[in-house]
Amino acid sequence: MSEVIVVTSGKGGVGKTTTSANVGTGLAEMGKSVVLIDADIGLRNLDVVMGLENRIVYNLVDVIEGNCRLKQALIKDKRHTGLFLMPAAQTRDKNCITPGQMVKLIDSLREQFDYIILDCPAGIEQGFQNAIAGADHAVVVTTPEVSAIRDADRIIGLLEANEIKKIDLVINRLRHDLIRRGEMMTVDDVLDILGLPLLGVVPDDENVVIATNQGEPLVGKNSDAGQAFFNICKRIEGKEVPFMDFGKSVTIWTRFSSLFKRNLQEERA
Amino acid sequence: MSLFSFFKRHTSSQIAKDRLKILLISDRVNCSPEMMELIKNDIANVISKYMQIDTSSMEIQISKTGSTARNGKKLPVLYANIPILDLRN
């Protein structure tokens, strides 16, 4: 039985594509067969994040319009067997396909794959409607910022209105130093506002930039973000994984201890 | 604790959280502050037919915490605080 997961956020630039690439790669690393679908027609980017931009011949729109067979548009990943990418068309726009066509395409992939992961475009228009049409499970990505959380709340309302039952939250780009100073909302603050089950917390990590430069997802590698993405994959697989110990609300103790640590560092310097 | 909450109130994360809470309530019900004012006036007019109320200190707000359960989800509620001056007989 395959699971169709849409990765969405409302706001652009919060990490939908990075999350899609890493979750897809992580699940493939765990031995699952996975297809990543770039639903961002006209502004595709999942191909570059995956490092597969040079292999594109056919795309999702070609499949829907019958210009090629389904298999011809599936690009095999460089490193992981069982991981495939279906790229979006770059020179078309989001209105050239319909939610009904997406559902049909997804249904034809269900037999072959354990996980079908859709990278949703930003916004709430046709592209969003296409991406969520066939999804069983939505992963809402947000950052601990007012604008991203506001858009996430709007998206959650639309997902519920479209009767997507399973909706989880990933909080991306968390900065412990800012949280410790009380200058960034904590994980608990965000959960309190959005009221969704937490699927993962990804710290802000320069390794994400490096990985994107190289076109190699960092899931499972020795970095904070890599570990956090791998934990998300395990939770999707139904395993109980404790959340990494950060993002706790600021208490008197953490304030004192951070002050103490800072003094120690200064003394050493 | 009171000393601590004094500090906490001034952090930008607390400001962000407070702003979001108000923002999301009006986003969720698609209701602007101006519209709330209109609703308040209409409610005041209706209630005034039956009892004497203090319209100047009347408050209405939409709150998330009042919650009526529907499939386990919290629903926002419209909360009105209307001081009664004198019940008309």
Side-chain angles (χ1 to χ4, degrees), chain B residues 35-53:
Chain B
M35 215 209 283
M36 290 292 283
E37 200 55 39
L38 293 175
I39 293 172
K40 184 177 153 184
N41 290 338
D42 283 358
I43 291 175
N45 287 338
V46 172
I47 307 283
S48 302
K49 279 192 207 170
Y50 305 96
M51 50 184 84
Q52 246 186 346
I53 56 168

Side-chain angles (χ1 to χ4, degrees), chain A residues 74-89:
Chain A
L74 291 173
I75 302 168
K76 201 174 179 308
D77 186 66
K78 288 185 266 189
R79 294 163 214 90
H80 303 89
T81 52
L83 178 59
F84 292 83
L85 169 72
M86 181 173 286

Side-chain angles (χ1 to χ4, degrees), chain A residues 117-213:
Chain A
I117 297 173
L118 292 132
D119 182 22
C120 182
I124 52 172
E125 297 85 15
Q126 175 89 37
F128 169 75
Q129 296 296 340
N130 288 339
I132 67 164
D136 310 318
H137 178 188
V139 172
V140 176
V141 183
T142 190
T143 59
E145 291 157 54
V146 178
S147 48
I149 293 171
R150 183 196 200 176
D151 289 2
D153 187 74
R154 183 99 169 81
I155 286 292
I156 294 162
L158 292 171
L159 290 168
E160 283 171 350
N162 282 276
E163 294 189 345
I164 292 180
K165 299 277 185 305
K166 195 174 169 196
I167 309 172
D168 290 324
L169 188 69
V170 167
I171 304 173
N172 195 15
R173 247 181 257 148
L174 207 79
R175 287 195 38 191
H176 320 125
D177 53 336
L178 286 182
I179 286 174
R180 243 175 261 127
R181 298 203 316 255
E183 310 294 5
M184 182 176 264
M185 278 180 274
T186 65
V187 171
D188 289 341
D189 289 341
V190 180
L191 292 178
D192 184 32
I193 292 165
L194 292 177
L196 284 187
L198 185 63
L199 182 66
V201 178
V202 184
D204 192 35
D205 187 343
E206 60 183 26
N207 290 301
V208 174
V209 178
I210 297 168
T212 310
N213 286 343

Side-chain angles (χ1 to χ4, degrees), chain A residues 145-146 149-150 153-154 156 160 181-186 188-189 192-195 250-252 255, chain B residues 1 4 7-8 10-21 23-28 64 73:
Chain A
E145 291 157 54
V146 178
I149 293 171
R150 183 196 200 176
D153 187 74
R154 183 99 169 81
I156 294 162
E160 283 171 350
R181 298 203 316 255
E183 310 294 5
M184 182 176 264
M185 278 180 274
T186 65
D188 289 341
D189 289 341
D192 184 32
I193 292 165
L194 292 177
V250 188
T251 62
I252 296 174
R255 274 181 176 249
Chain B
M1 197 58 209
F4 172 60
F7 280 120
K8 197 180 173 187
H10 293 279
T11 63
S12 68
S13 78
Q14 194 58 41
I15 296 167
K17 205 177 161 185
D18 293 344
R19 286 176 63 213
L20 261 170
K21 279 191 171 161
L23 183 66
L24 292 189
I25 286 166
S26 56
D27 275 3
R28 279 170 189 167
K64 205 178 125 189
K73 289 211 68 140

Side-chain angles (χ1 to χ4, degrees), chain A residues 77-119:
Chain A
D77 186 66
K78 288 185 266 189
R79 294 163 214 90
H80 303 89
T81 52
L83 178 59
F84 292 83
L85 169 72
M86 181 173 286
Q90 182 70 341
T91 52
R92 304 292 294 269
D93 75 84
K94 292 174 174 79
N95 301 320
C96 72
I97 60 169
T98 65
Q101 289 172 322
M102 277 300 275
V103 172
K104 222 176 127 194
L105 174 80
I106 289 166
D107 283 341
S108 62
L109 289 163
R110 274 184 195 264
E111 287 170 27
Q112 205 184 330
F113 294 99
D114 297 324
Y115 289 98
I116 300 165
I117 297 173
L118 292 132
D119 182 22

